[in-house]
Amino acid sequence: MRAKEETQERPATAGIPVAVSAWLVPGLGHLMLGRTRRALTFFLVVTGMFALGLYLRGELFPLDTSEPLTFLAGLAEIGVGLPFFAARLLGMGSGEVTALTYEYGYTFCIVAGLLNMLIMLDAYDIAVGRKS
Amino acid sequence: MTNHFLILTIFALLVSTAFALLMRQDPKDQLRFGILAFVCFLGSAFVIGWLMYPFPS
């Protein structure tokens, strides 16, 4: 009740375009809401982390339902949005299992995707007025 | 890049930055929270590292 007094809540559908944009391009949701500094930081953090993951020979996992952990890892990585699909199209992220940094690499990619999901939810909450 | 500590530090820095911006509104609070999260990441890695020291590789 107190939160409603502080911020004006808008319909849940009002946040959908912002959430989709935030998923596709890290930080774009916050940019649409006029939070330029945050948007730029989120973009640099998420894409930087994802790029570093690929540089460390990380793997972009397939959505293989026969392997539950692989499926979940793939789902988390898709959270990065367009950079994930761009990397796939460019043939990156095949993963080099024998590389010393392989585990670090895919951890960076997975965490980048999960962070972008949190950022997307934050943008959605701001867009619908649940958060200032 | 195969320096494990450097990779750990970069990971901690990036995640702490994102968490600070998501969980705090005021810039001063964000800085304080970010530094605390960063130190906790590194500190816990050192503690866990020393706890694992007696185990053979």
Side-chain angles (χ1 to χ4, degrees):
Chain A
M1 192 66 190
R2 218 181 100 211
K4 276 192 175 178
E5 286 167 11
E6 286 170 356
T7 55
Q8 194 182 358
E9 281 206 27
R10 288 177 279 281
T13 50
I16 292 174
V18 172
V20 173
S21 307
W23 169 61
L24 286 173
V25 181
L28 184 59
H30 286 81
L31 188 69
M32 288 167 74
L33 297 165
R35 322 261 165 138
T36 314
R37 189 178 63 94
R38 276 188 187 205
L40 187 66
T41 312
F42 285 144
F43 179 79
L44 291 175
V45 166
V46 174
T47 52
M49 200 164 197
F50 185 68
L52 199 58
L54 294 176
Y55 173 73
L56 293 172
R57 317 276 170 82
E59 184 173 356
L60 298 179
F61 293 103
L63 291 178
D64 182 6
T65 47
S66 64
E67 297 281 344
L69 290 179
T70 304
F71 177 80
L72 289 174
L75 203 62
E77 288 177 341
I78 285 177
V80 175
L82 283 180
F84 172 87
F85 298 108
R88 263 279 162 82
L89 279 175
L90 293 169
M92 299 160 95
S94 53
E96 197 180 317
V97 185
T98 53
L100 193 63
T101 54
Y102 170 72
E103 282 87 3
Y104 290 130
Y106 74 67
T107 304
F108 269 68
C109 292
I110 289 171
V111 174
L114 294 174
L115 276 180
N116 199 38
M117 287 181 195
L118 284 176
I119 292 165
M120 182 182 76
L121 290 174
D122 185 66
Y124 178 83
D125 280 347
I126 297 170
V128 298
R130 283 187 200 151
K131 195 174 172 184
S132 57
Chain B
M1 183 163 55
T2 53
N3 185 327
H4 298 249
F5 185 70
L6 179 64
I7 295 172
L8 166 76
T9 307
I10 294 171
F11 181 87
L13 186 70
L14 293 172
V15 176
S16 309
T17 306
F19 278 175
L21 289 179
L22 284 171
M23 298 177 75
R24 295 290 183 271
Q25 303 298 316
D26 182 61
K28 269 187 183 176
D29 289 341
Q30 286 173 349
L31 185 66
R32 203 174 301 137
F33 185 88
I35 291 171
L36 182 69
F38 180 70
V39 169
C40 285
F41 265 119
L42 291 190
S44 57
F46 270 108
V47 170
I48 293 168
W50 276 109
L51 286 175
M52 288 166 66
Y53 184 72
F55 298 100
S57 58

